[in-house]
Amino acid sequence: MPQSFTTVAGVPVDPRAARVHEEGWQSWSPSGSYALDDIPHRPADTNWATVCYRPGRTVPPATFQGEGLLALDAGDGSPVRLWAATDPTASVPSIRLTVRDGRAEISADGPVTESAHTGPDGIQGALAAWADGLALPAPRPAPTVWCSWYEYFTAVTEDDIHENLRAMDTLDLPVDVVQIDDGYQSALGDWLTLSGRFRSRAAIADAIRARGRRAGIWTAPFLVAPQSELAARHPDWLVRDSDGAPLHAGHNWDHDLYTLDTTHPGAAAHLADVFATLRAEGYDYFKTDFLYAGALDGVRHSGADALTAYRAGIALIREAIGADAYLLGCGAPILPSLGLFDAMRVSPDTAPHRRPEADDYSQPGQDAAEFTGSGRQWQHRRLWINDPDCLVARPAVETRERWAAHVEATGGLMASSDRLLSLDAWGVATTRRLLSSGGAA
C-alpha cells in the first residue's frame, strides 16, 4: 500500500559509532540494533513478507524501519533518541531512518512521540524506559512447560504425550505444564475435531492433572484452512479482500491460509465456544499462535479496522478461558498486543539447526531467535514475560550448549521441547537446571 512519510527529526550522528534499533511488527519479525553500515534483515520471499513481517510495508534500500518504535544512539555521547507511536494499541506508524552526510533523518507515516534517554544501558535502556512509562500491570510469573513441537512437529500422537508425561516423573523434571502443540486437530479452524492420532483431548488433560501437572494446548485461533469443515460450512465467517475473495493470509502446511472474521457474530460465538470447551476439559494454559492473521487489513463483517478487530478477538479468547488461565501469544503483532497477554514469544522459532533458511531472520534457526530475542530483552517483565522459545537439548541439536545459554540468560519462560527419553546426561541436567530456575536469569 502507498505510504506518505513526513520528516519528524534530524539528528547529527557519528557514522562509525552510531546504532539504530528497528522494532519489527510481530513476534517473528527481526528486531534489534544495527550499525549504520549494516544491511538490516528483510524478507527473502513474498510469502514470508506476509506471514512474518508487516504486509504492505516494503522498505527502500539503505533505510532502517521500525514498526511503531525506533531508537537511535548517535554514537557521539548524546542521549539516545526514541520515536514511538502515540497510541500503539490503535495505530502503529512505520518509522524510518536514513543517513546522509553525517545526519540521520527520521520520518513516519503517522503520529509519533520523541523522547531522550540519558540513563544506563544505551538503546536497551531507552526502550526499557519507554516500556516503564506505559505503566502496565506487572505480568504473572510463567509456569515451566514441556511442549511437543520441536520433537514431533505435526506428527505428534496421543501416545507421545503419555510417554513424555511418564518420563517427567522418571527423570524428576519440574514441569508445571504439559502443552500439546500443533497436530492434535483435524484442520486449522476445526479445533474441536481430533486428528486420527488422538483419541480424547479431555482424557489427556485428566491424565496430566492426575500427575499433578497442568494441561496446556496450542491453537492458531485466527487461521482457517481452505479444506476445513469451518471454511466449507461458514464461508461468511472469513475476512475478505477488496474483491470479495477470502483474504490471503499466506501459505503454510502446504496450503493457503484464510483468516477468521471474529467481528461476525457467528464466528465470534464459535471461537468463544472452542476456548470455553477446552477450558472445561481441563486446559488452563493456552499458546495462541499465528496471531498476525487477526491483524491483517481486510473487509470484516462489522467494518472494524484490523487492530480493533484483533484486540477484540484476543479479548474474546480471554473471556472464554477466564482470568486465571495463562495466555501466551506467538506470531503476534507486538505493540497492538500491549496489555493482552501473560507471556509473549519475542523471536522467530528456534530449530535444531543454527542458520535460518535463505538467511531470512524471520525463519526458524538459533541465530535468528537469538538476534531478536536479545533485541527484545527490554520487554521482559515490563510488557509481559518474554518467551525466548523452547530449550532443545538432545544430542542431535546443533550448538545445543550455546542455545541453552541463550535461553537461560533471558530469564523468561522456560520450556523444554525434546522427547525426554532421548536426552543424554548433559541434556537431562541442563533441562532440569533451566526448569528449576523458573526463569531466574
Side-chain angles (χ1 to χ4, degrees):
M1 65 182 67
Q3 295 164 264
S4 178
F5 282 79
T6 301
T7 299
V8 297
V11 182
V13 294
D14 179 347
R16 298 165 299 178
R19 296 192 68 82
V20 58
H21 173 91
E22 292 186 340
E23 184 60 34
W25 171 242
Q26 54 121 308
S27 299
W28 307 322
S29 308
S31 296
S33 296
Y34 301 92
L36 295 187
D37 59 356
D38 286 341
I39 299 174
H41 297 296
R42 299 289 180 252
D45 68 33
T46 55
N47 184 57
W48 294 342
T50 296
V51 175
C52 301
Y53 294 78
R54 190 175 189 180
R57 302 296 175 104
T58 303
V59 187
T63 302
F64 296 97
Q65 181 165 303
E67 302 303 340
L69 198 57
L70 184 140
L72 171 67
D73 181 344
D76 57 6
S78 61
V80 174
R81 309 273 286 273
L82 183 145
W83 295 268
T86 57
D87 185 359
T89 61
S91 177
V92 181
S94 297
I95 308 169
R96 288 179 175 171
L97 183 148
T98 57
V99 179
R100 180 177 297 175
D101 299 328
R103 189 171 181 84
E105 180 179 280
I106 295 86
S107 60
D109 67 352
V112 297
T113 60
E114 180 180 343
S115 59
H117 176 69
T118 57
D121 300 326
I123 284 176
Q124 284 282 310
L127 293 164
W130 178 80
D132 287 337
L134 298 174
L136 295 174
R140 291 182 286 173
T144 58
V145 178
W146 179 85
C147 164
S148 62
W149 178 247
Y150 287 108
E151 179 73 57
Y152 303 101
F153 299 98
T154 58
V156 64
T157 69
E158 183 167 332
D159 291 340
D160 294 328
I161 305 300
H162 287 295
E163 179 201 280
N164 284 279
L165 184 59
R166 295 189 296 270
M168 292 167 204
D169 290 340
T170 300
L171 298 173
D172 190 25
L173 296 176
V175 175
D176 298 322
V177 172
V178 178
Q179 184 232 305
I180 305 168
D181 214 279
D182 185 10
Y184 68 90
Q185 77 286 353
S186 62
L188 299 176
D190 298 339
W191 303 110
L192 299 183
T193 305
L194 292 175
S195 70
R197 296 181 301 278
F198 282 77
R199 299 178 291 276
S200 171
R201 241 184 356 262
I204 299 175
D206 288 343
I208 293 169
R209 296 166 72 198
R211 289 179 178 266
R213 308 185 196 273
R214 296 167 58 185
I217 199 160
W218 174 95
T219 60
F222 301 137
L223 287 185
V224 178
Q227 73 275 20
S228 66
E229 187 175 329
L230 186 151
R233 290 189 174 185
H234 302 286
D236 55 323
W237 290 3
L238 303 176
V239 179
R240 299 282 159 172
D241 64 21
S242 58
D243 295 324
L247 182 69
H248 180 67
H251 187 92
N252 204 350
W253 296 277
D254 297 321
H255 59 71
D256 288 337
L257 305 173
Y258 296 160
T259 298
L260 185 70
D261 181 2
T262 56
T263 74
H264 189 291
H270 164 76
L271 193 63
D273 179 65
V274 165
F275 280 92
T277 299
L278 295 173
R279 186 70 173 90
E281 289 177 348
Y283 295 90
D284 70 352
Y285 176 98
F286 295 87
K287 179 182 176 181
T288 50
D289 207 349
F290 291 81
L291 297 179
Y292 74 88
L296 291 173
D297 290 326
V299 179
R300 290 173 167 83
H301 177 81
S302 73
D305 67 90
L307 297 191
T308 298
Y310 168 73
R311 289 183 63 84
I314 299 299
L316 181 154
I317 292 169
R318 170 57 80 184
E319 182 177 3
I321 64 176
D324 58 330
Y326 205 84
L327 186 59
L328 166 65
C330 186
I334 292 295
L335 297 189
S337 295
L338 295 174
L340 298 178
F341 294 92
D342 296 300
M344 176 64 73
R345 170 73 74 73
V346 292
S347 72
D349 282 11
T350 187
H353 52 269
R354 179 144 291 277
R355 299 299 297 176
E357 184 179 350
D359 271 344
D360 185 316
Y361 267 48
S362 72
Q363 294 305 293
Q366 295 168 32
D367 280 344
E370 287 177 13
F371 174 79
T372 295
S374 297
R376 285 179 167 155
Q377 190 63 18
W378 59 274
Q379 298 178 6
H380 183 47
R381 298 199 180 105
R382 295 181 175 90
L383 308 185
W384 34 59
I385 298 298
N386 278 12
D387 172 16
D389 208 6
C390 299
L391 172 69
V392 280
R394 55 190 181 271
V397 172
E398 182 181 348
T399 60
R400 60 178 179 163
E401 297 87 354
R402 179 174 162 183
W403 175 246
H406 169 75
V407 173
E408 186 170 23
T410 67
L413 190 154
M414 294 291 156
S416 163
S417 194
D418 292 295
R419 177 176 180 252
L420 295 174
L421 294 181
S422 73
L423 295 173
D424 59 4
W426 183 90
V428 170
T430 301
T431 300
R432 184 182 295 119
R433 186 180 78 252
L434 267 63
L435 294 175
S436 297
S437 75

